[in-house]
């Protein structure tokens, strides 16, 4: 028996084809590729591909219709819950039941591809297929085929076409977690494809197909989706109103009022942050968030994964901009947030792995930052860094071990990508090129600062010392040392955010723990003295005593 | 007045480019000629716009077939005029592997490295060899001197006049006097220059423990 939801007949949303003439990011057009040059370039929500572009048309699918009862029930149940806008049931089915069924039935194989005999509703089918492909990417990346990649792309196009080309907001209720994961996965698959395109594994037929369909997973079509969602939802206007304490509803517009569009818009901003970071455009990455006040504790979205992703990429962009104090603040906030939220993730194992990985990466980035820019940070975060896992790395980096810096960076940095296929004369493994470029730029920065920790360690011992004495300690001639001292001041004097909504704002400040100035031939040193902390010690012991007291009381003599 | 019309052209172009930057037009390669013209005017009119320049580099990243090395050189040199900001790094992160091998670009990266290391004396020597590349950038030397002044300002309370002249690229006494005036420095006896009172900025910090009510309320 097939369910049908009337409001989503095929004709109720505009098919992509009718928008062909108005697409913004026609790759053939903007990419300088031949063909289709006659199309106009008016700005409109465009198509992102259409059904005919499916690499392996669905008709040829040989998938059988027989699958476990529980799975069929789940699909129908999910469809009904979405129809009934039963948010708590949707959450349960999506976050608990789906991973459960995956564990029980689809550990080694794909979810059924065709469910039209169960539910005949294009929107639901598209949503379901998004889950279907996501599952392949997540658990069967080895058997992920070229056609899976293309078909998943087409499926996203269908989904976003339905959402963006509908004349009025479509009536669909999903949880924020789900919406976030759609956008997050969309960017992930784009990144995965960009890497795949540069890998030597691509065979001749695939390369040929790709040459004829350049828009598939092209950076412009991905950006187009994200920008369109942002524009449609008026999210920037809404955020500006929200952080000014005004009523966001008045600027939201019809689409922006719908939670579906609003949250998709918000998540698209975070996705842009990520895409720009992966392309090495750190300035634009942070600028995209200029209407989000990351310093206020007001939580605009309740999806922890989104929150953590935001901090992770903003922190990284700060590192590359040499804004260490800001990076340290951002990472510390994120890690404190994760400490608070720990319990919540543990309940949902599939989110846990991702969070653990990102946590580890952020501690590593934080370690790098603190080596380059020592300063005191939150005790509870600091105690994690003193753990052996990080302490070894930190002490190696402090001794100027370049290899260790490189390893830490490679582990903790985002995935980088190039938006274009490799050049003909590219290196043997062009998929590694984007990472190599960003890494070499970072390593150059580290190399420029290589003397600073040694100078710092000598400065710490004195309040004043003659330049000549420091030169003798450093075994450098006077002129070289003077340059190193100027370099020290320059590198430790960076833009630090102090006020304003945009995270790009800030003033030049010296925030590191050791500072100095030179008067004639004398170095005057200012250190940071951290007073002993008693509070923590006493509170811990009060708790211990309390426990002991209670235990004693409970004893019977 | 030729200069006046140039300036007007720049202002008009600035408005137009800024309108591209706020929309998806920033990714439209058809706008590249305008963007490139804008860089050219930044170079000749001694004006600077990081955001537009990054947008150009991004377009080159997306459309490598439209890549123009001379524009990229200009952008990179212009980014050095905005030191101590890290614009040079931001620009370079957008270049591809092959592009970084370009001889001129490698040369600019070498000069940038000297500036970042504050090896100013060496920088001025090396820079003299790249007259062709750099002389096109109006106001380049003074922009670098401004950066030198910034580093001097945060480092010294008072310093030797001869050394200061050397850092600024071996300038004449007359030029030095104008830099002294611009920065509010003072000439002192014994060939010394008084920069500023650093005691106010460079102070030993004491971080003492702050216990919030929330932490204690648990045990009260």
């Amino acid at each position: 028996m097939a369910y049908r939801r009337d409001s989503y007949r095929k004709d109720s949303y505009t098919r992509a084809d009718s928008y062909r003439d108005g697409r913004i990011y026609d790759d053939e057009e903007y990419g300088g590729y031949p063909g289709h040059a006659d199309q106009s370039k008016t700005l409109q929500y465009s198509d992102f591909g259409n059904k005919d572009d499916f690499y392996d048309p669905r008709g040829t699918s040989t998938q059988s219709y027989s699958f476990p009862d529980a799975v069929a029930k789940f699909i129908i149940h999910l469809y009904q819950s979405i129809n009934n806008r039963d948010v708590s049931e949707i959450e349960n089915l999506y976050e608990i039941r789906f991973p459960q069924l995956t564990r029980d039935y689809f550990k080694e194989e794909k979810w059924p591809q065709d469910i039209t005999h169960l539910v005949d509703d294009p929107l639901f089918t598209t949503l379901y297929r998004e889950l279907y492909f996501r599952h392949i990417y997540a658990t069967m990346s080895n058997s992920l085929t070229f056609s899976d990649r293309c078909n998943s792309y087409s499926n996203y196009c269908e989904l976003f076409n339905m959402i963006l080309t509908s004349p009025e907001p479509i009536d669909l209720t999903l949880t924020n977690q789900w919406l976030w994961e759609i956008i997050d996965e969309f960017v992930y698959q784009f990144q995965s494809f960009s890497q795949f395109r540069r890998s030597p594994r691509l065979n001749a037929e695939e390369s040929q197909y790709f040459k004829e369909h350049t828009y598939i997973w092209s950076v412009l079509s991905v950006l187009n989706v994200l920008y369109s969602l942002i524009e449609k939802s008026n999210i920037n206007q809404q955020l500006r109103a929200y952080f000014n304490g005004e009523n966001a509803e008045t600027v939201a517009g019809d689409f922006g009022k719908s939670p579906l569009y609003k949250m998709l818009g918000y998540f698209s901003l975070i996705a842009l942050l990520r895409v720009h970071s992966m392309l090495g455009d750190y300035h634009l990455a942070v600028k995209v968030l200029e209407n989000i006040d990351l310093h206020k504790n007001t939580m605009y979205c309740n999806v922890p994964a989104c929150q953590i992703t935001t901090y992770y990429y903003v922190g990284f962009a700060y590192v590359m901009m040499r804004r260490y104090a800001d990076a340290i603040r951002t990472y510390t906030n994120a890690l404190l947030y994760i400490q608070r939220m720990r319990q919540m993730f543990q309940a949902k194992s599939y989110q846990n792995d991702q969070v653990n990985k990102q946590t580890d990466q952020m501690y590593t980035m934080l370690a790098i930052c603190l080596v380059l820019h020592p300063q005191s940070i939150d005790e509870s975060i600091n105690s994690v860094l003193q753990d052996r896992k990080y302490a070894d790395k930190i002490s190696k980096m402090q001794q100027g071990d370049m290899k260790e810096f490189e390893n830490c960076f490679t582990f903790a940095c985002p995935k980088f990508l190039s938006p274009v296929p490799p050049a003909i004369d590219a290196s043997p493994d062009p998929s590694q090129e984007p990472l190599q470029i960003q890494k070499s730029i970072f390593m150059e920065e580290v190399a420029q600062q290589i003397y600073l920790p040694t100078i710092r360690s000598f400065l710490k011992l004195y309040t004043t010392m003659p330049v000549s004495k420091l030169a003798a300690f450093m075994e450098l001639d006077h002129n070289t040392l003077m340059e190193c001292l100027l370099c020290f001041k320059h590198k430790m004097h960076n833009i630090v955010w102090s006020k304003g909504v945009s995270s790009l704002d800030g003033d030049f400040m010296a925030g590191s723990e050791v500072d100095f100035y030179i008067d004639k031939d004398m170095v005057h040193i200012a250190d940071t003295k951290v007073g002993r902390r008693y509070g923590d010690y006493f509170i811990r012991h009060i708790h211990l005593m309390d426990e002991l007291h209670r235990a004693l009381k409970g004893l019977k003599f | 007045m030729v200069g006046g019309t140039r300036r007007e052209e720049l202002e008009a172009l600035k408005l137009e480019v800024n309108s591209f930057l706020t929309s998806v037009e920033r990714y439209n390669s058809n706008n590249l000629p305008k963007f490139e013209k804008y860089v050219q005017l930044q170079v000749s009119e001694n004006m600077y716009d990081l955001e537009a320049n990054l947008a150009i580099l991004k377009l080159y990243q997306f459309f490598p077939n439209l890549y123009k090395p001379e524009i990229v050189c200009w952008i990179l040199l212009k980014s050095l005029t905005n030191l101590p900001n890290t614009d040079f790094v931001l620009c370079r992160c957008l270049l591809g592997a092959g592009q970084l091998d370009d001889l001129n670009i490698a040369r600019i990266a070498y000069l940038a490295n000297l500036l970042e290391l504050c090896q100013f004396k060496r920088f001025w020597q090396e820079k003299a060899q790249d007259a062709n590349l750099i002389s096109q950038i109006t106001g380049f030397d003074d922009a670098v001197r401004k950066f030198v002044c910034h580093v001097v300002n945060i480092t010294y309370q008072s310093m030797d006049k001869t050394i200061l002249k050397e850092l600024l690229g071996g300038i004449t006494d007359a030029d030095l006097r104008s830099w002294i005036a611009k920065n509010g420095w003072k000439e002192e006896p014994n060939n010394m220059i008084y920069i500023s009172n650093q005691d106010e900025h460079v102070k030993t910090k004491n971080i003492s423990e702050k216990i919030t009510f929330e932490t204690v309320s648990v045990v009260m």
Side-chain angles (χ1 to χ4, degrees):
Chain A
M1 187 177 101
Y3 288 79
R4 173 172 268 285
R5 190 171 166 196
D6 286 339
S7 57
Y8 282 117
R9 287 229 183 80
K10 273 198 173 151
D11 52 0
S12 69
Y13 62 90
T14 321
R15 274 307 314 252
D17 313 50
S18 58
Y19 276 78
R20 252 211 123 76
D21 287 339
R23 52 188 187 180
I24 336 177
Y25 289 124
D26 189 315
D27 297 66
E28 288 95 332
E29 185 73 34
Y30 283 53
Y33 300 101
H36 298 279
D38 53 332
Q39 280 160 11
S40 73
K41 294 170 297 255
T42 31
L43 274 185
Q44 274 206 32
Y45 295 113
S46 62
D47 79 327
F48 314 105
N50 64 57
K51 219 184 208 159
D52 307 330
D53 296 327
F54 273 91
Y55 181 71
D56 180 22
R58 270 184 251 177
T60 65
S61 163
T62 51
Q63 186 113 23
S64 78
Y65 279 176
S66 63
F67 45 87
D69 239 17
V71 173
K73 269 197 195 126
F74 165 80
I75 292 167
I76 292 168
H77 194 169
L78 182 62
Y79 178 60
Q80 287 170 332
S81 309
I82 291 176
N83 261 355
N84 299 334
R85 298 178 195 85
D86 184 347
V87 178
S88 65
E89 191 55 25
I90 297 172
E91 185 180 322
N92 171 44
L93 290 170
Y94 176 79
E95 290 182 34
I96 313 257
R97 192 80 185 118
F98 184 76
Q100 224 167 46
L101 287 170
T102 301
R103 259 195 318 277
D104 292 350
Y105 298 102
F106 305 108
K107 244 185 164 156
E108 312 274 306
E109 56 184 309
K110 301 173 179 182
W111 273 73
Q113 187 177 12
D114 195 336
I115 55 154
T116 41
H117 63 294
L118 291 172
V119 179
D120 182 18
D121 176 329
L123 180 61
F124 182 80
T125 315
T126 315
L127 282 171
Y128 170 79
R129 283 171 63 85
E130 200 271 333
L131 289 175
Y132 162 84
F133 286 118
R134 210 197 292 173
H135 168 243
I136 301 177
Y137 272 87
T139 58
M140 291 184 292
S141 49
N142 287 332
S143 57
L144 179 69
T145 62
F146 183 71
S147 77
D148 284 333
R149 290 177 190 273
C150 297
N151 290 342
S152 178
Y153 173 77
S154 298
N155 192 61
Y156 276 115
C157 293
E158 278 202 31
L159 177 63
F160 292 128
N161 271 331
M162 282 188 238
I163 292 169
L164 288 167
T165 59
S166 163
E168 51 200 66
I170 64 167
D171 177 18
L172 172 69
T173 307
L174 297 179
T175 59
N176 285 348
Q177 183 73 33
W178 191 341
L179 292 175
W180 160 251
E181 282 171 5
I182 289 176
I183 298 289
D184 192 47
E185 180 73 11
F186 177 63
V187 175
Y188 167 72
Q189 292 189 13
F190 159 64
Q191 173 244 311
S192 166
F193 189 89
S194 304
Q195 222 157 8
F196 169 73
R197 187 176 48 195
R198 294 177 84 84
S199 87
R201 280 182 294 152
L202 215 65
N203 68 33
E205 190 201 337
E206 289 166 353
S207 315
Q208 188 55 35
Y209 182 83
F210 179 64
K211 266 187 204 129
E212 288 159 14
H213 300 78
T214 41
Y215 55 86
I216 292 181
W217 286 123
S218 84
V219 67
L220 290 180
S221 45
V222 170
L223 286 172
N224 190 24
V225 167
L226 300 176
Y227 274 96
S228 301
L229 287 168
I230 289 166
E231 211 172 301
K232 197 97 185 164
S233 59
N234 283 329
I235 188 68
N236 276 318
Q237 293 84 331
Q238 293 202 58
L239 285 165
R240 227 170 290 147
Y242 177 81
F243 285 111
N244 286 334
E246 293 157 15
N247 183 4
E249 288 261 306
T250 53
V251 291
D254 287 344
F255 286 92
K257 275 181 198 150
S258 138
L260 173 79
Y261 287 86
K262 185 175 105 174
M263 290 325 284
L264 282 176
Y266 182 84
F267 296 143
S268 297
L269 287 174
I270 310 303
L272 271 186
L273 160 73
R274 187 169 160 202
V275 172
H276 290 316
S277 299
M278 294 192 297
L279 292 167
D281 193 347
Y282 306 111
H283 182 85
L284 194 55
V286 179
K287 195 178 163 61
V288 168
L289 305 188
E290 65 184 347
N291 294 310
I292 301 177
D293 194 336
L294 293 173
H295 316 94
K296 276 191 186 155
N297 284 325
T298 43
M299 206 66 75
Y300 198 76
C301 87
N302 56 358
V303 180
C306 170
Q307 204 71 17
I308 295 166
T309 301
T310 313
Y311 283 128
Y312 170 76
Y313 284 99
V314 170
F316 185 79
Y318 276 145
V319 173
M320 294 304 276
M321 293 179 194
R322 210 201 301 136
R323 293 178 62 163
Y324 302 125
D326 284 326
I328 290 166
R329 177 177 45 78
T330 308
Y331 288 133
T332 311
N333 283 344
L335 294 165
L336 284 171
Y337 173 76
I338 293 170
Q339 277 186 355
R340 284 202 307 273
M341 301 293 285
R342 254 293 154 230
Q343 298 228 293
M344 226 197 93
F345 302 125
Q346 262 143 13
K348 290 163 189 158
S349 58
Y350 80 100
Q351 293 170 18
N352 214 7
D353 297 346
Q354 170 70 14
V355 171
N356 283 343
K357 174 89 196 281
Q358 260 180 341
T359 307
D360 205 0
Q361 287 180 315
M362 283 196 280
Y363 272 115
T364 308
M365 274 326 283
L366 182 61
I368 295 178
C369 291
L370 287 169
V371 170
L372 295 174
H373 185 273
Q375 70 173 76
S376 65
I377 57 161
D378 183 276
E379 262 316 297
S380 62
I381 302 295
N382 200 26
S383 67
V384 179
L385 287 177
Q386 274 154 20
D387 191 79
R388 252 203 74 189
K389 185 174 171 195
Y390 301 107
D392 283 355
K393 293 178 181 160
I394 292 175
S395 83
K396 276 190 196 160
M397 285 192 280
Q398 275 166 343
Q399 286 155 26
D401 183 339
M402 296 298 269
K403 197 76 208 144
E404 190 59 43
F405 272 106
E406 210 175 317
N407 292 342
C408 285
F409 182 85
T410 311
F411 168 76
C413 71
K415 293 266 189 294
F416 296 111
L417 55 88
S418 164
V420 288
I424 302 155
D425 56 348
S427 56
D429 188 3
S431 64
Q432 287 303 307
E433 247 175 41
L435 169 65
Q436 294 306 337
I437 292 172
Q438 303 299 319
K439 191 167 71 184
S440 70
I441 292 171
F442 175 76
M443 290 310 291
E444 215 164 281
E445 181 66 53
V446 175
Q448 286 165 357
Q449 302 192 24
I450 204 69
Y451 276 124
L452 308 194
T454 325
I455 297 179
R456 190 178 288 118
S457 65
F458 285 123
L459 291 179
K460 270 188 150 182
L461 303 174
Y462 298 87
T463 50
T464 53
M465 78 194 293
V467 174
S468 56
K469 189 168 169 185
L470 185 56
F473 283 152
M474 295 287 298
E475 294 170 4
L476 293 172
D477 65 77
H478 182 270
N479 285 341
T480 313
L481 175 72
M482 287 313 281
E483 283 166 357
C484 290
L485 288 175
L486 290 176
C487 181
F488 187 113
K489 288 295 286 191
H490 163 54
K491 294 288 188 189
M492 289 301 111
H493 210 82
N494 291 308
I495 296 186
V496 182
W497 177 90
S498 56
K499 59 182 188 307
V501 175
S502 171
S503 299
L504 282 176
D505 294 347
D507 305 303
F508 275 98
M509 267 186 247
S512 187
E513 65 183 16
V514 180
D515 201 1
F516 69 89
Y517 68 84
I518 305 170
D519 189 22
K520 300 186 182 88
D521 287 318
M522 191 63 100
V523 187
H524 297 253
I525 299 132
D527 198 354
T528 305
K529 294 197 174 72
V530 181
R532 271 201 72 174
R533 287 162 196 270
Y534 302 105
D536 216 40
Y537 177 86
F538 279 116
I539 287 171
R540 226 176 27 244
H541 279 81
I542 291 171
H543 278 303
L544 270 175
M545 286 311 199
D546 200 39
E547 229 162 89
L548 196 65
H549 181 69
R550 252 178 295 156
L552 280 173
K553 251 184 162 174
L555 287 177
K556 291 205 175 89
F557 295 102
Chain B
M1 252 184 53
V2 184
T5 48
R6 269 272 186 81
R7 203 76 210 175
E8 280 163 29
E9 191 186 350
L10 177 68
E11 289 304 318
L13 203 53
K14 186 179 170 183
L15 280 178
E16 195 174 359
V17 166
N18 274 330
S19 76
F20 294 156
L21 293 180
T22 53
S23 72
V24 286
E25 281 297 307
R26 61 157 63 231
Y27 305 109
N28 184 343
S29 59
N30 292 336
N31 293 329
L32 252 180
K34 283 208 170 121
F35 273 118
E36 285 162 350
K37 178 81 198 158
Y38 187 48
V39 177
Q40 210 172 356
L41 286 171
Q42 288 180 46
V43 165
S44 64
E45 301 304 298
N46 195 10
M47 181 266 187
Y48 180 63
D49 191 335
L50 170 69
E51 212 137 305
N53 295 353
L54 289 173
I56 298 170
L57 296 176
K58 189 92 158 239
L59 281 168
Y60 289 151
Q61 193 187 39
F62 289 179
F63 308 102
N65 50 332
L66 302 174
Y67 181 81
K68 289 205 184 71
E70 64 280 7
I71 298 280
V72 175
C73 283
W74 280 344
I75 291 178
L76 290 177
L77 285 169
K78 281 304 284 186
S79 75
L80 291 180
T81 64
N82 204 31
L83 278 163
N85 289 288
T86 50
D87 297 12
F88 180 76
V89 171
L90 292 177
C91 291
R92 214 155 62 118
C93 285
L94 284 167
L95 298 182
Q99 294 151 5
L100 292 168
D101 298 338
D102 177 285
L103 278 182
N104 281 336
I105 291 177
R107 184 68 193 163
I108 298 169
Y110 173 73
L111 292 177
N113 192 42
L114 291 180
L115 287 174
E116 281 289 344
L117 288 167
C118 297
Q119 299 183 1
F120 298 123
K121 196 176 160 191
R122 181 87 173 277
F123 167 82
W124 293 113
Q125 287 164 359
E126 294 282 338
K127 197 222 96 181
Q129 298 170 24
D130 299 293
N132 288 341
L133 202 61
I134 291 171
S135 63
Q136 307 166 37
I137 315 285
T138 314
F140 184 83
D141 286 3
D142 278 352
V144 172
R145 285 188 190 108
K146 238 168 118 180
F147 168 56
V148 175
C149 290
H150 160 84
V151 179
V152 165
N153 266 324
I154 57 174
T155 309
Y156 287 98
Q157 177 147 303
S158 54
M159 71 182 296
D160 188 272
K161 188 170 155 186
T162 327
I163 295 175
L164 181 59
K165 268 166 76 175
E166 203 175 86
L167 294 180
L168 289 167
I171 51 171
T172 61
D173 277 331
D175 283 342
L176 181 65
R177 270 195 291 280
S178 93
W179 285 104
I180 287 174
K182 252 182 246 173
N183 286 286
W185 300 334
K186 275 198 285 292
E187 279 201 72
E188 290 195 331
N190 302 330
N191 212 20
M192 293 305 274
I193 309 277
Y194 181 78
I195 305 296
S196 74
N197 183 4
Q198 298 287 355
D199 277 337
E200 293 167 20
H201 312 291
V202 184
K203 272 189 289 210
T204 295
K205 283 175 279 187
N206 282 307
I207 298 178
S208 51
E209 186 180 24
K210 288 188 190 78
I211 299 171
T212 60
F213 185 72
E214 277 164 52
T215 15
V216 198
S217 64
V218 203
V219 289
M220 297 292 246

